[in-house]
Amino acid sequence: MAAPASSSIYSPLRSSQRIPRGLCNCSPPSASSISLLPRGLRSTSLGRIGFSCLSSDQILTRVAASSAPVMDPTKGEVSLKVSTVVDVDLGDRSYPIYIGSGLLDAPDLLQRHVAGKRVLVVTNTTIAPLYLDRVVEALTRGNSHVSVESVILPDGEKYKDMGTMMKIFDKAIESRMDRRCTFVALGGGVIGDMCGFAAATYVRGVNFIQIPTTLMAQVDSSVGGKTGINHPLAKNMIGAFYQPQCVLIDTDTLNTLPDRELASGIAEVIKYGLIRDAKFFEWQERNMEALLARDSSALAYAIKRSCENKAEVVSLDEKESGLRATLNLGHTFGHAIESGFGYGQWFHGEAVAAGTVMAVDLSYRLGWIDSSIVERVLNILQQAKLPTAPPEMMTVELFKSAMAVDKKVADGLLRLILLKGPLGSCVFTGDYDRKALDETLIAFCKS
Amino acid sequence: MAAPASSSIYSPLRSSQRIPRGLCNCSPPSASSISLLPRGLRSTSLGRIGFSCLSSDQILTRVAASSAPVMDPTKGEVSLKVSTVVDVDLGDRSYPIYIGSGLLDAPDLLQRHVAGKRVLVVTNTTIAPLYLDRVVEALTRGNSHVSVESVILPDGEKYKDMGTMMKIFDKAIESRMDRRCTFVALGGGVIGDMCGFAAATYVRGVNFIQIPTTLMAQVDSSVGGKTGINHPLAKNMIGAFYQPQCVLIDTDTLNTLPDRELASGIAEVIKYGLIRDAKFFEWQERNMEALLARDSSALAYAIKRSCENKAEVVSLDEKESGLRATLNLGHTFGHAIESGFGYGQWFHGEAVAAGTVMAVDLSYRLGWIDSSIVERVLNILQQAKLPTAPPEMMTVELFKSAMAVDKKVADGLLRLILLKGPLGSCVFTGDYDRKALDETLIAFCKS
């Protein structure tokens, strides 16, 4: 087997070289162990071999040593800003989520996860003018062995289809991308899902990296390996479980995010609190104003805590045998809204918000939660300026026909995520009174 | 988690219930251990729990006991004809290949691998009139809980594309197939590859079963989990590694196979001999007439030995890090012929045969094999009535441009499978003299 020699100093991380969990606190690996590092004080080692806790001086030294041709800290070019690494523990498919400010300007982080010499950046018409050049620069700075191509797709959920995904394949084949190439998803959830699915299926699988630029993608869709596209009849019906090499979250990208999209992401943040993290929900109740005002430390904490929750769930149930389905609170109703109302009319998080209210309403009708939870959910969603009811055009029939093709239907039985018990507790079940579901649908639909 | 109750007696095999390797000879599991059972004398147990060696009487008893509602051996309805089980050992994705005559009439074999209540049979316009009713009957006989839908695609390599595959998704969604459904591929390699890829990606993965009806599919494409479709610019560029629940090979289906397609399959049989099994190659030299005359025991042995070779290679290298690539002897040249000449002009095995001659020619030019191997390869392919040179329209340029997008290109370097050493030995390498490759191309092309 001849492996072509590479003179690049940037080798892809192999599984044996992955950054170990619990790096700096020397704690044993756990389902989702977290390295929470005060910025500039400690960080993960960037060397290829060997890991240790480093002081800020040592980090700069190590960065300079491993990346000497590209970064000269004395010129102030480099400011390593990884404040948090959340590890998604999936055996040999484990990967880190880097969260911090200014990470798009940290080439070493990206380059260490690039396998081979060819990179295809997949982005959209909104994000390309804002960040594409910086990402290309980060991928190639001091690394002339890597060549980067890009494909710029139209922006929006309605383009999350097979026809648009074929443009990724067209570009990859025209550019002669081979098995060792890396796809980079630069954008929101639609780009991440499509690029990930393209990476999962191009020459039966190539490496990929997620650079989510919306809060929705940062707290949810970029983490966990769900990739796919929509079918005209139902959302996310075609796809694959496929894990990235890393997720790079530069919180600065949220500065260009429209308000409605920020709120859409907050809907998923709220979900984590409701299904499994009452303390986080209470933190959100106290800090919603700060989140909406884009307070950077509030956002960073919300992203970190969301990723931790998601990483833990995904580590325990990667392929959604059960537990992972709980991440879909409100999503069955929400997907019905998206499909009935038309993809892209509402943002995903807006549909999920209305769907969450409906799931909570059904939970209450079943007698599984008390009314204070219903009120708190309504309050926090209203505070986040998210919808708390489906669009007026949604009918009971539209809900029912969309819900019949939901992926959580098993042998004809629709299973739902419903709250049950105290705040932060939920169930995934097909064992609920269908009459109560009908009542919920009637309560939220005019016909 | 509410799992709907099922009153069906046919439960899908879970991994813990899989038929153990080395069943009847009590040998320890190996990478590819084989139970070779004289027909009617011994067989694998069909009971859900517990396995043992059985006499023919005992088998009939056991079958009747496990399938009493559907099969009455006293009426002569059942003749259990599994003569061979080849196990593909891939940990929790292991599966059996059943090989024998009359297996389409053995409902218990199929039904035990069907998860859930919904089955989608994917087939084509050639195979549907011949075998679809029998497969539906085998899936449903005595099992009213299972409902079967089918989708009949046009026949031919040129339909192995995204547009045709979408018809599978359309039918699955219209029929409200859910995550517990099973896709059944009934047909040749094109159907198996497309149905497998659809199964890999429909709601991010559902169960599937391969029922290959061509020799090509029986000895090669149905085994090993490579699935996918063609891109207009290159073959099999979009796909996934996805393993079936089982492969069911009814050797009787070869009785309806046209001569050219039989020969196409023989090209892959010859390949196994060349790359790793000199004794098998010698057996083929002695038995080619019998194979071409469709002698059933010769065909059964060729299928079994091919599946054993493939299962062993796949078990050692599922994702084609190296060893598995050797199964592609002649395929880089062959794919170039298929893409340059137009998909479907030649059968895959015909292109592979010509490609094999070119790979052998190159191996000889490099001084890696002696001339007797070149002659034996030419002889056996001619005996099988397979092409030994590319079509006249193929030019050096057509070869080069198609080979540049071959999946075995890594970082710009084309790696090839070449013979080296005594019969039955090969290498997968990018370390060969490019001048010799040019000479081979020039020798086989008019321009």
Side-chain angles (χ1 to χ4, degrees), chain B residues 228-265:
Chain B
I229 55 173
N230 300 328
H231 185 277
L233 295 175
K235 199 171 147 82
N236 293 331
M237 288 303 276
I238 305 165
F241 289 98
Y242 199 69
Q243 304 296 341
Q245 311 308 113
C246 76
V247 181
L248 186 96
I249 299 176
D250 186 336
T251 52
D252 296 351
T253 57
L254 297 180
N255 295 333
T256 54
L257 192 69
D259 284 346
R260 256 184 78 193
E261 287 201 64
L262 186 79
S264 173

Short mmCIF file of all heavy atoms in Angstrom, two decimals, chain B residues 228-265:
data_model
loop_
_atom_site.label_atom_id
_atom_site.label_comp_id
_atom_site.label_asym_id
_atom_site.label_seq_id
_atom_site.Cartn_x
_atom_site.Cartn_y
_atom_site.Cartn_z
N GLY B 228 -24.69 2.24 -3.69
CA GLY B 228 -24.52 3.56 -4.28
C GLY B 228 -25.10 3.70 -5.67
O GLY B 228 -25.70 2.76 -6.21
N ILE B 229 -24.91 4.88 -6.21
CA ILE B 229 -25.40 5.20 -7.55
C ILE B 229 -24.27 5.87 -8.34
O ILE B 229 -23.25 6.26 -7.77
CB ILE B 229 -26.63 6.14 -7.50
CG1 ILE B 229 -26.30 7.40 -6.68
CG2 ILE B 229 -27.84 5.43 -6.91
CD1 ILE B 229 -27.38 8.44 -6.71
N ASN B 230 -24.50 5.99 -9.64
CA ASN B 230 -23.51 6.64 -10.49
C ASN B 230 -23.76 8.14 -10.57
O ASN B 230 -24.89 8.61 -10.43
CB ASN B 230 -23.57 6.06 -11.90
CG ASN B 230 -23.27 4.57 -11.92
OD1 ASN B 230 -22.48 4.08 -11.11
ND2 ASN B 230 -23.89 3.85 -12.84
N HIS B 231 -22.72 8.90 -10.79
CA HIS B 231 -22.82 10.31 -11.17
C HIS B 231 -22.55 10.33 -12.68
O HIS B 231 -21.80 9.48 -13.18
CB HIS B 231 -21.76 11.11 -10.42
CG HIS B 231 -21.86 12.59 -10.64
ND1 HIS B 231 -21.30 13.22 -11.73
CD2 HIS B 231 -22.46 13.57 -9.91
CE1 HIS B 231 -21.55 14.53 -11.65
NE2 HIS B 231 -22.25 14.76 -10.57
N PRO B 232 -23.15 11.28 -13.41
CA PRO B 232 -22.90 11.30 -14.85
C PRO B 232 -21.41 11.26 -15.20
O PRO B 232 -21.03 10.74 -16.25
CB PRO B 232 -23.53 12.63 -15.29
CG PRO B 232 -24.60 12.90 -14.28
CD PRO B 232 -24.14 12.29 -12.99
N LEU B 233 -20.56 11.76 -14.32
CA LEU B 233 -19.13 11.82 -14.63
C LEU B 233 -18.34 10.60 -14.15
O LEU B 233 -17.21 10.39 -14.59
CB LEU B 233 -18.51 13.08 -14.03
CG LEU B 233 -19.00 14.41 -14.61
CD1 LEU B 233 -18.39 15.57 -13.85
CD2 LEU B 233 -18.67 14.51 -16.09
N ALA B 234 -18.89 9.82 -13.24
CA ALA B 234 -18.11 8.68 -12.74
C ALA B 234 -19.02 7.71 -12.00
O ALA B 234 -20.02 8.11 -11.39
CB ALA B 234 -16.97 9.16 -11.83
N LYS B 235 -18.60 6.46 -12.05
CA LYS B 235 -19.41 5.36 -11.53
C LYS B 235 -19.32 5.26 -10.01
O LYS B 235 -18.26 5.47 -9.42
CB LYS B 235 -18.87 4.07 -12.16
CG LYS B 235 -19.79 2.89 -12.13
CD LYS B 235 -19.19 1.76 -12.98
CE LYS B 235 -19.54 0.42 -12.40
NZ LYS B 235 -20.88 -0.04 -12.79
N ASN B 236 -20.45 4.94 -9.38
CA ASN B 236 -20.49 4.66 -7.93
C ASN B 236 -19.90 5.77 -7.08
O ASN B 236 -19.33 5.51 -6.02
CB ASN B 236 -19.73 3.36 -7.62
CG ASN B 236 -20.43 2.13 -8.20
OD1 ASN B 236 -21.65 2.11 -8.34
ND2 ASN B 236 -19.65 1.13 -8.54
N MET B 237 -20.02 7.02 -7.53
CA MET B 237 -19.40 8.11 -6.79
C MET B 237 -20.19 8.50 -5.54
O MET B 237 -19.67 9.14 -4.64
CB MET B 237 -19.25 9.36 -7.67
CG MET B 237 -18.19 9.22 -8.74
SD MET B 237 -16.54 8.84 -8.09
CE MET B 237 -15.93 10.48 -7.68
N ILE B 238 -21.46 8.13 -5.49
CA ILE B 238 -22.31 8.53 -4.36
C ILE B 238 -22.87 7.27 -3.74
O ILE B 238 -23.50 6.47 -4.43
CB ILE B 238 -23.46 9.43 -4.86
CG1 ILE B 238 -22.89 10.62 -5.65
CG2 ILE B 238 -24.32 9.91 -3.70
CD1 ILE B 238 -23.94 11.35 -6.48
N GLY B 239 -22.59 7.07 -2.47
CA GLY B 239 -23.05 5.82 -1.88
C GLY B 239 -22.70 5.72 -0.41
O GLY B 239 -22.33 6.70 0.23
N ALA B 240 -22.82 4.51 0.11
CA ALA B 240 -22.54 4.27 1.52
C ALA B 240 -22.11 2.83 1.72
O ALA B 240 -22.42 1.97 0.90
CB ALA B 240 -23.79 4.55 2.35
N PHE B 241 -21.36 2.60 2.78
CA PHE B 241 -21.15 1.24 3.23
C PHE B 241 -22.33 0.88 4.13
O PHE B 241 -22.55 1.54 5.14
CB PHE B 241 -19.85 1.11 4.04
CG PHE B 241 -18.60 1.24 3.19
CD1 PHE B 241 -17.93 2.44 3.11
CD2 PHE B 241 -18.12 0.15 2.49
CE1 PHE B 241 -16.78 2.56 2.33
CE2 PHE B 241 -16.97 0.26 1.71
CZ PHE B 241 -16.30 1.47 1.63
N TYR B 242 -23.08 -0.11 3.75
CA TYR B 242 -24.28 -0.45 4.52
C TYR B 242 -24.56 -1.94 4.36
O TYR B 242 -24.75 -2.43 3.26
CB TYR B 242 -25.47 0.38 4.02
CG TYR B 242 -26.62 0.45 5.00
CD1 TYR B 242 -26.48 1.15 6.19
CD2 TYR B 242 -27.83 -0.18 4.74
CE1 TYR B 242 -27.53 1.22 7.10
CE2 TYR B 242 -28.88 -0.11 5.64
CZ TYR B 242 -28.72 0.59 6.81
OH TYR B 242 -29.76 0.66 7.71
N GLN B 243 -24.56 -2.65 5.47
CA GLN B 243 -24.66 -4.10 5.40
C GLN B 243 -26.11 -4.58 5.47
O GLN B 243 -26.91 -4.02 6.22
CB GLN B 243 -23.86 -4.73 6.56
CG GLN B 243 -22.39 -4.32 6.61
CD GLN B 243 -21.59 -4.78 5.39
OE1 GLN B 243 -22.00 -5.68 4.66
NE2 GLN B 243 -20.44 -4.16 5.16
N PRO B 244 -26.43 -5.62 4.71
CA PRO B 244 -27.79 -6.18 4.78
C PRO B 244 -27.98 -7.05 6.01
O PRO B 244 -27.03 -7.36 6.72
CB PRO B 244 -27.86 -7.03 3.50
CG PRO B 244 -26.45 -7.48 3.27
CD PRO B 244 -25.57 -6.34 3.76
N GLN B 245 -29.23 -7.45 6.25
CA GLN B 245 -29.53 -8.41 7.33
C GLN B 245 -29.15 -9.81 6.87
O GLN B 245 -28.79 -10.65 7.70
CB GLN B 245 -31.01 -8.39 7.68
CG GLN B 245 -31.60 -7.02 7.92
CD GLN B 245 -30.81 -6.22 8.90
OE1 GLN B 245 -30.21 -5.21 8.53
NE2 GLN B 245 -30.75 -6.65 10.13
N CYS B 246 -29.33 -10.07 5.60
CA CYS B 246 -28.91 -11.36 5.04
C CYS B 246 -28.87 -11.24 3.52
O CYS B 246 -29.43 -10.30 2.95
CB CYS B 246 -29.87 -12.50 5.46
SG CYS B 246 -31.44 -12.53 4.57
N VAL B 247 -28.19 -12.18 2.90
CA VAL B 247 -28.20 -12.31 1.45
C VAL B 247 -28.77 -13.69 1.14
O VAL B 247 -28.32 -14.69 1.71
CB VAL B 247 -26.78 -12.18 0.85
CG1 VAL B 247 -26.84 -12.30 -0.68
CG2 VAL B 247 -26.12 -10.87 1.26
N LEU B 248 -29.77 -13.72 0.30
CA LEU B 248 -30.42 -14.98 -0.04
C LEU B 248 -30.17 -15.26 -1.52
O LEU B 248 -30.68 -14.55 -2.39
CB LEU B 248 -31.93 -14.87 0.23
CG LEU B 248 -32.72 -16.15 0.04
CD1 LEU B 248 -32.90 -16.85 1.40
CD2 LEU B 248 -34.08 -15.88 -0.57
N ILE B 249 -29.37 -16.27 -1.80
CA ILE B 249 -29.01 -16.61 -3.19
C ILE B 249 -29.71 -17.89 -3.60
O ILE B 249 -29.36 -18.98 -3.12
CB ILE B 249 -27.47 -16.77 -3.34
CG1 ILE B 249 -26.78 -15.45 -2.99
CG2 ILE B 249 -27.13 -17.23 -4.76
CD1 ILE B 249 -25.26 -15.53 -3.01
N ASP B 250 -30.71 -17.76 -4.43
CA ASP B 250 -31.38 -18.94 -4.98
C ASP B 250 -30.74 -19.22 -6.33
O ASP B 250 -30.95 -18.49 -7.31
CB ASP B 250 -32.88 -18.67 -5.12
CG ASP B 250 -33.65 -19.91 -5.54
OD1 ASP B 250 -33.02 -20.82 -6.16
OD2 ASP B 250 -34.85 -19.99 -5.26
N THR B 251 -29.94 -20.27 -6.38
CA THR B 251 -29.18 -20.54 -7.60
C THR B 251 -30.10 -20.84 -8.79
O THR B 251 -29.68 -20.72 -9.94
CB THR B 251 -28.21 -21.72 -7.39
OG1 THR B 251 -28.95 -22.83 -6.86
CG2 THR B 251 -27.10 -21.35 -6.43
N ASP B 252 -31.35 -21.19 -8.52
CA ASP B 252 -32.29 -21.45 -9.62
C ASP B 252 -32.55 -20.20 -10.46
O ASP B 252 -32.94 -20.30 -11.62
CB ASP B 252 -33.64 -21.96 -9.08
CG ASP B 252 -33.50 -23.30 -8.38
OD1 ASP B 252 -32.41 -23.91 -8.47
OD2 ASP B 252 -34.47 -23.73 -7.73
N THR B 253 -32.36 -19.02 -9.85
CA THR B 253 -32.63 -17.79 -10.61
C THR B 253 -31.66 -17.65 -11.79
O THR B 253 -31.95 -16.91 -12.73
CB THR B 253 -32.52 -16.53 -9.73
OG1 THR B 253 -31.22 -16.48 -9.13
CG2 THR B 253 -33.58 -16.53 -8.64
N LEU B 254 -30.55 -18.37 -11.74
CA LEU B 254 -29.60 -18.27 -12.86
C LEU B 254 -30.14 -18.93 -14.13
O LEU B 254 -29.64 -18.68 -15.23
CB LEU B 254 -28.25 -18.89 -12.47
CG LEU B 254 -27.55 -18.17 -11.30
CD1 LEU B 254 -26.22 -18.85 -10.99
CD2 LEU B 254 -27.34 -16.70 -11.60
N ASN B 255 -31.16 -19.76 -13.96
CA ASN B 255 -31.73 -20.43 -15.14
C ASN B 255 -32.35 -19.45 -16.12
O ASN B 255 -32.50 -19.75 -17.30
CB ASN B 255 -32.78 -21.46 -14.71
CG ASN B 255 -32.15 -22.59 -13.90
OD1 ASN B 255 -30.95 -22.88 -14.08
ND2 ASN B 255 -32.91 -23.19 -13.02
N THR B 256 -32.74 -18.27 -15.63
CA THR B 256 -33.35 -17.28 -16.53
C THR B 256 -32.36 -16.20 -16.96
O THR B 256 -32.74 -15.21 -17.59
CB THR B 256 -34.56 -16.61 -15.84
OG1 THR B 256 -34.12 -16.08 -14.58
CG2 THR B 256 -35.68 -17.59 -15.62
N LEU B 257 -31.10 -16.38 -16.61
CA LEU B 257 -30.10 -15.33 -16.90
C LEU B 257 -29.54 -15.48 -18.32
O LEU B 257 -29.09 -16.56 -18.69
CB LEU B 257 -28.97 -15.44 -15.87
CG LEU B 257 -27.98 -14.28 -15.79
CD1 LEU B 257 -28.67 -13.03 -15.23
CD2 LEU B 257 -26.79 -14.65 -14.91
N PRO B 258 -29.55 -14.40 -19.12
CA PRO B 258 -28.96 -14.50 -20.46
C PRO B 258 -27.47 -14.86 -20.41
O PRO B 258 -26.78 -14.53 -19.44
CB PRO B 258 -29.14 -13.08 -21.03
CG PRO B 258 -30.24 -12.47 -20.21
CD PRO B 258 -30.13 -13.08 -18.85
N ASP B 259 -26.98 -15.49 -21.48
CA ASP B 259 -25.59 -15.96 -21.53
C ASP B 259 -24.58 -14.85 -21.25
O ASP B 259 -23.61 -15.04 -20.52
CB ASP B 259 -25.28 -16.58 -22.91
CG ASP B 259 -25.90 -17.96 -23.05
OD1 ASP B 259 -26.31 -18.53 -22.01
OD2 ASP B 259 -25.99 -18.45 -24.19
N ARG B 260 -24.79 -13.71 -21.88
CA ARG B 260 -23.81 -12.62 -21.70
C ARG B 260 -23.72 -12.20 -20.24
O ARG B 260 -22.65 -11.85 -19.74
CB ARG B 260 -24.19 -11.42 -22.56
CG ARG B 260 -23.36 -11.25 -23.82
CD ARG B 260 -23.75 -9.99 -24.56
NE ARG B 260 -23.18 -8.79 -23.98
CZ ARG B 260 -23.59 -7.54 -24.29
NH1 ARG B 260 -24.56 -7.35 -25.17
NH2 ARG B 260 -23.03 -6.49 -23.71
N GLU B 261 -24.87 -12.19 -19.56
CA GLU B 261 -24.84 -11.80 -18.14
C GLU B 261 -24.19 -12.87 -17.28
O GLU B 261 -23.53 -12.56 -16.28
CB GLU B 261 -26.25 -11.49 -17.65
CG GLU B 261 -26.77 -10.19 -18.20
CD GLU B 261 -27.91 -9.66 -17.35
OE1 GLU B 261 -27.68 -9.33 -16.18
OE2 GLU B 261 -29.02 -9.56 -17.87
N LEU B 262 -24.37 -14.12 -17.67
CA LEU B 262 -23.69 -15.20 -16.94
C LEU B 262 -22.17 -15.00 -17.06
O LEU B 262 -21.44 -15.03 -16.07
CB LEU B 262 -24.09 -16.56 -17.50
CG LEU B 262 -23.54 -17.76 -16.71
CD1 LEU B 262 -24.39 -18.00 -15.46
CD2 LEU B 262 -23.50 -19.04 -17.55
N ALA B 263 -21.72 -14.76 -18.28
CA ALA B 263 -20.28 -14.56 -18.50
C ALA B 263 -19.78 -13.35 -17.72
O ALA B 263 -18.67 -13.37 -17.15
CB ALA B 263 -20.00 -14.38 -19.99
N SER B 264 -20.60 -12.29 -17.67
CA SER B 264 -20.21 -11.09 -16.93
C SER B 264 -19.91 -11.44 -15.46
O SER B 264 -18.92 -10.99 -14.89
CB SER B 264 -21.35 -10.06 -17.04
OG SER B 264 -21.09 -8.95 -16.21
N GLY B 265 -20.75 -12.27 -14.88
CA GLY B 265 -20.50 -12.70 -13.50
C GLY B 265 -19.24 -13.54 -13.37
O GLY B 265 -18.50 -13.44 -12.38
#
